[in-house]
Amino acid sequence: MSELQPTREQQPAIDYDGSMVAIAKPGSGKTFVLSRKIQRILPSFPSYKGVIAISFTNKASDELRHRAASKGIDLKASFFGTIDRFCIGEIVIPFLTHVWGKPTAEIEITRIRDLPEEDRTPFEILDNAELTLEILADLTGDLKEHFLQGRLFLDTVGTLALFTIINSPACQRYLKTRYSHVIIDEYQDSGLAQHELFMKLHGLGLVAIAVGDADQSIYGFSNKDSKYLLSLAGNANFKAFPITLNHRCHPSIVNYSLRFLNANAVLLNTDQIRVYYKSCVGNVGAIAQWIDAVLPQFMDEFQIEHPKDVGILVRGNMTGVLVNNALAVKHRIAQPHPLEENTSLWGPIFCDLLRYRLNPQNTVQEILDHHNFRLATTELAEVRKQIKEVRDCLNDKLFDLMESIATIFRPNANKQGPVAQLRASSIEDLTRSFAPPKNDEVQIMTIHKSKGLEFDLVFHLDLHEWVLPSKQPGENNDFDHPIYKDIAQDRNLHYVGITRARKLCVLCTSTRRTNPKNQDKVGKPSEFFAENHLEQLRIVSPI
């Protein structure tokens, strides 16, 4: 098979040497562009220097690492991971001690909401506002006190990282010496702290590269905003590169997504429509029964090899559970295990070890890169040996082995919470949560969870009035004059759902729906169906 070559849009972005922003549409090959760019950058570096590559999820980060390391490329001192992991491991833990002093206990990562109620009072201002440097100045005494006691709040690490860089010359020297570039993917989902940190690194002399798409901004509920991406596109210090051609989706799916965003969008030539509309009589259970009935025919007609290449995408977890309970075909629902929500130092170690055990593609080196806060040579050799044993050890030895490994990484961490969560889980539960989907399993997940994924066939559910777009009754419970909660975010969410489909996208609604109070309601089709003459670009499902 011939090697994939960059397109005319991709090549200039790969070749550009300065700070830049790439506006990359769905399926346009942004991971390909970033991996090629990293491969072009690294060979000239000494072994102690690398790039910072920030991805939104650990899975996306691992994919970028794998692709960048292909062709035998030495990644050298590069960092691949999430923004929180970078801030904690590369900035706050090693350098905030220069500013505030050394903690009296091993640092524990927690959240403000987990504090006793009486201890949360100083932080109530953060209930309605992002932590800025100005607010941090007012909270410095409280945050410093917690830090010196060994407590670091995940809610604050972005702003604390910026504060640390500003106040620690040693941190500035380290970052400038070790890294030449900072690359942040999914920049449309940046918050203020991440944006200011990115600009600070740029100010230190690092080449700064942002990649994103304002139309895929779907985390506004957590103070993420595409305005930061758009500000870079208009910044004279950043060269903008549009990467627009969707290589993933069938042209008719591309056309539907473009017309949804813009009534005047220029459409691609195609003689086939692969966006289907289906309305079922009944509730979401009826949709699940219909999917059971039609799935074999769809898979045969569109040459879909494995059920795992079929995604059922929902707006919220409640619909996902209802589909999970009603669907007969073998399937997997993406639901986080409590360990994945655990912010302690041991929780992420356990998660990575379980993924390593259950996924042959995961490597020992990835775990070391994620958690090695400068282990001694003897410790490194021992932990490498024990990690390798995780893959093949008997089930009754697994938990003890995982605790032993975590002890080497972080010997003084507060371990009670993650250990209790681990030992309360059955091997079957852990396998369901951490193993990659099997070839014979249809995948059920929220649209938010599907970000960065793709499927041959997508069933896009929750396309009801009141649900997507989400709205609520107006003043005095007025149903005739409802209020949209955030229609711009909901438009982006629908756009993301559509563009996860490679070969076929089926937009599903039903005559009944279940509201958040578990009440059965009349189900009317989403307003999104009626926009921009979209009915011309879809067909009623033929089966």
Side-chain angles (χ1 to χ4, degrees), residues 249 253 256-257 260 460 493-501 505 507:
C249 307
I253 299 173
Y256 194 91
S257 68
F260 173 66
H460 183 342
L493 196 63
H494 185 41
Y495 175 70
V496 167
I498 295 165
T499 54
R500 299 311 94 194
C505 181
L507 308 176

Side-chain angles (χ1 to χ4, degrees), residues 383-396:
V383 78
R384 187 182 290 275
K385 174 187 172 184
Q386 291 193 24
I387 292 172
K388 289 180 179 179
E389 294 174 6
V390 165
R391 184 156 282 164
D392 300 315
C393 76
L394 298 175
N395 287 340
D396 61 354

Side-chain angles (χ1 to χ4, degrees), residues 21-280:
V21 53
I23 307 300
K25 295 299 179 181
S28 62
K30 65 175 182 177
T31 305
F32 172 77
V33 169
L34 290 179
S35 61
R36 281 297 185 91
K37 196 168 185 70
I38 292 169
Q39 289 173 345
R40 193 177 71 81
I41 292 168
L42 287 178
S44 63
F45 289 178
S47 60
Y48 62 81
K49 203 171 189 71
V51 301
I52 303 163
I54 302 294
S55 299
F56 198 71
T57 64
N58 288 321
K59 182 175 181 179
S61 174
D62 290 341
E63 180 185 359
L64 179 58
R65 170 190 286 276
H66 287 147
R67 293 175 68 168
S70 65
K71 303 181 186 177
I73 296 292
D74 182 359
L75 300 180
K76 301 183 179 177
S78 296
F79 174 92
F80 288 80
T82 64
I83 188 66
D84 287 338
R85 181 168 279 166
F86 175 74
C87 289
I88 293 168
E90 290 292 287
I91 300 176
V92 177
I93 287 182
F95 293 106
L96 188 55
T97 55
H98 296 195
V99 185
W100 281 353
K102 187 176 180 180
T104 56
E106 182 83 2
I107 290 292
E108 174 190 5
I109 313 298
T110 185
R111 295 182 187 271
I112 291 172
R113 71 186 183 205
D114 295 329
L115 287 171
E117 185 173 354
E118 61 273 15
D119 293 336
R120 294 199 300 267
T121 303
F123 305 111
E124 288 178 351
I125 187 174
L126 299 181
D127 292 342
N128 300 305
E130 287 186 85
L131 179 60
T132 63
L133 288 174
E134 291 75 17
I135 296 176
L136 177 62
D138 295 332
L139 295 176
T140 294
D142 296 288
L143 289 173
K144 180 178 178 180
E145 181 180 352
H146 282 287
F147 179 76
L148 292 177
Q149 293 173 359
R151 197 173 298 113
L152 179 63
F153 300 117
L154 192 62
D155 327 51
T156 68
V157 294
T159 306
L160 279 179
L162 180 62
F163 171 82
T164 302
I165 294 174
I166 292 171
N167 291 279
S168 172
C171 181
Q172 296 174 24
R173 290 192 297 270
Y174 169 77
L175 293 170
K176 289 190 290 185
T177 300
R178 177 154 183 172
Y179 300 114
S180 69
H181 292 64
V182 54
I183 302 166
I184 298 187
D185 192 10
E186 303 288 6
Y187 204 92
Q188 75 279 354
D189 292 321
S190 290
L192 176 63
Q194 178 169 306
H195 176 65
E196 290 188 336
L197 180 64
F198 179 77
M199 296 305 294
K200 184 64 179 178
L201 293 170
H202 177 247
L204 290 177
L206 278 69
V207 176
I209 300 168
V211 181
D213 176 15
D215 294 325
Q216 297 185 71
S217 173
I218 58 175
Y219 288 92
F221 60 86
S222 58
N223 295 317
K224 313 300 183 184
D225 201 313
S226 61
K227 68 182 180 183
Y228 303 116
L229 173 70
L230 298 176
S231 73
L232 295 178
N235 187 322
N237 295 316
F238 290 79
K239 185 172 178 63
F241 291 89
I243 306 176
T244 61
L245 185 59
N246 186 327
H247 306 280
R248 171 197 300 155
C249 307
H250 185 269
S252 66
I253 299 173
V254 175
N255 287 344
Y256 194 91
S257 68
L258 293 177
R259 178 67 64 81
F260 173 66
L261 294 179
N262 180 2
N264 300 313
V266 177
L267 304 183
L268 304 175
N269 291 324
T270 180
D271 58 1
Q272 203 176 20
I273 292 181
R274 293 194 181 182
V275 179
Y276 290 178
Y277 170 88
K278 178 63 181 180
S279 178
C280 292

Side-chain angles (χ1 to χ4, degrees), residues 327-371:
L327 196 68
V329 67
K330 191 172 181 180
H331 60 273
R332 167 92 62 92
I333 183 170
Q335 289 182 312
H337 188 276
L339 276 171
E340 295 178 89
E341 306 291 324
N342 189 297
T343 59
S344 71
L345 294 176
W346 276 28
I349 296 173
F350 287 165
C351 291
D352 279 352
L353 290 172
L354 289 164
R355 294 187 186 102
Y356 171 78
R357 177 179 174 87
L358 297 166
N359 189 344
Q361 291 187 343
N362 288 15
T363 66
V364 173
Q365 190 59 47
E366 288 170 357
I367 298 176
L368 293 175
D369 289 338
H370 288 172
H371 303 288

